[in-house]
Amino acid sequence: MRPPIIVPTSCLVLTFCAGLASAAIINVPADQPFIQAGINAAVTGDEVVVAPGTYAEIIDFAGKAITVRSSGGADVTILDATSVADPGDGLPVVRFDNGEGADSVLEGFTLTGGTGDTATIGSSGHGVGGGVWIYGATPTIRDCVIEHNSAFLGGGLFVYQGGLTLTGCTVRLNDAPGGSAGAMSSFQCDDGVTVDGCTFDGNTGQNGAGILCDFGVGAVVFTDSVIENHAATVDKSALFVGGDQTGTLTIDGCVFRNNSTPAVSLCSGALATSANQIARVTDCLFIGNSGDLGGAVAFRGLGGSFIANCVFIGNSAGIGGAVYLKAPGLALLNCSFAASTATEGSSVLFAANSMSTTLTNCIFWDDTGVDPISVAGNSGSFLTVNHSIVQGGWSGNGTGNLDVDPMFTDAANDDLSLQAGSPAIDSGGFDAYHTTYGVGLDAAGGARYIDDATMPNLGVGTIGYLDLGAYEYGQDEPLIEQQPSSAVGGAFQSVFISVDAPDATSYRWYFNGTPLGDDAHHSGTASPLLIVHVDDSTDQEGLYHCVVSDGVRTETSVDAGLVVYTDCTPDCLADLNGDGLLDLQDINEFINSFNAGCP
């Protein structure tokens, strides 16, 4: 029997009282006449709530972990610096330069009329961070509109030696006259930059009209965002990652549209990645971009970098109409290209003379120029094309390639999904895709590995029915309604992993890509509920997925990870219920014991 749990009453009282404490709400202008006055009055955890209106002021968070938010949203709550006198260190509309962290939050404002900080790395006439200046801080900005600001570097925002989380914001019509990054610049950002659900539109600048990231070791992440209508007057892509940026780059679910750099800029129109980082670009749409080297993308990166499930339509360049590859060990997987234009490499130009680069399960069609895929210099022996449709054919290294109409649904209206009967259906190479990218989803967020019973399985690898291109055919009625979830297990526990596919008639679970049968460690391997019987080792730790079928269609679930902990021994005092795990059940055991009181 376990000894009773004794908690001093004083601790309980202190904990209870701390739970009752609440942050103050300071209303502007009801409680304080100006936003800065509200910030000055606030302490850690407070909220400054601003009523709709136009406020002719600039604000400084002054290192405080507070939230400053509007009550009515950005459309009706405007911070306008146009008429504000320079206090001596410049005029960014919002300033974070006193070590603010992620709990310093700005939400729901339009920021306009700023010209940037001039005291730190800027100077008179050369401000940085017109709308927002961040120095040595990592704030959070949500649901804001940042527009009509101007600075030499970072017309909309400048992040220096810190980081940023930017969510649900629109950054538009900002300018970097004579300088760089009309929309946003991050420089030496070791804490990383995360952008989610944002729109960058119509910003201008000489050396980069859009976004510039360089000299940082922190991760740069862009998800579900739109970057469009940027036209640099000299060089740099709409999203340009400099060669000294070493933090991992992740771009997922983004749209790059109508971005351009001049024909002699040596840059791509939409995206350029760094040769010194691992870059992963997935589920993105690149449409109508133009540049010099790569109409859409100039792709560089360390080994392990790849582009997967992306769609390229109507991009153009002098070299590499859609993509210019110049780094070793890169991969393009399941991408669809249409209507690309270039004088050399109408879709892709490869120019790297060491280590292999592979294009797998891609479609290149309706291009204009010399060959959809071209190789510069003596790079040919390092480029391999496998299981792809290439208009005009591919005579270089590789296997399983076709020269047939992929039967896009409506390429003229930018729909590169597949029609019934397309030769791209069930023709892909599974192993390269799965090893590099995992099970994943297609570019539209639909399931991968849907077996079309009307088409032969001509693909190769563990699963023979992966489609070519960015879209998997047969998405109307997916079999799997709920994907399996990852789990955690302890020694001598049973862990349950399930898939919900009500119309399926057969199931087969896989462990790290190997089909399972019922044994001492697994049961239910041919059912929707897999039970993993964990022993005192980590042998059952890994990735599990399920292949389901209704007799006509076949789908493969996403991978569910199982993590096994075996280091909680029987004499671990914090394991209150003795199940070998430290988890919420132990907290419940504590609460139950406490509520039961003493005998």
Side-chain angles (χ1 to χ4, degrees), residues 404-429:
V404 292
D405 187 345
M407 297 173 60
F408 290 136
T409 298
D410 189 3
N413 290 299
D414 302 333
D415 183 355
L416 302 192
S417 63
L418 303 175
Q419 298 182 54
S422 166
I425 296 172
D426 296 352
S427 297

Side-chain angles (χ1 to χ4, degrees), residues 165-258:
T165 298
L166 190 71
T167 305
C169 292
T170 297
V171 183
R172 64 190 178 199
L173 304 175
N174 301 284
D175 188 23
S180 299
M184 181 175 80
S185 178
S186 69
F187 190 74
Q188 296 181 1
C189 287
D190 295 348
D191 294 321
V193 173
T194 298
V195 176
D196 179 63
C198 294
T199 296
F200 299 83
D201 185 8
N203 302 284
T204 54
Q206 177 175 299
N207 300 105
I211 303 158
L212 170 64
C213 304
D214 208 351
F215 290 95
V217 301
V220 175
V221 179
F222 281 76
T223 55
D224 299 323
S225 295
V226 177
I227 301 171
E228 61 184 352
N229 302 319
H230 297 95
T233 57
V234 176
D235 62 14
K236 293 190 172 53
S237 312
L239 173 51
F240 184 90
V241 183
D244 293 294
Q245 178 75 29
T246 57
T248 299
L249 173 68
T250 300
I251 302 176
D252 180 71
C254 294
V255 176
F256 294 80
R257 182 168 40 221
N258 298 334

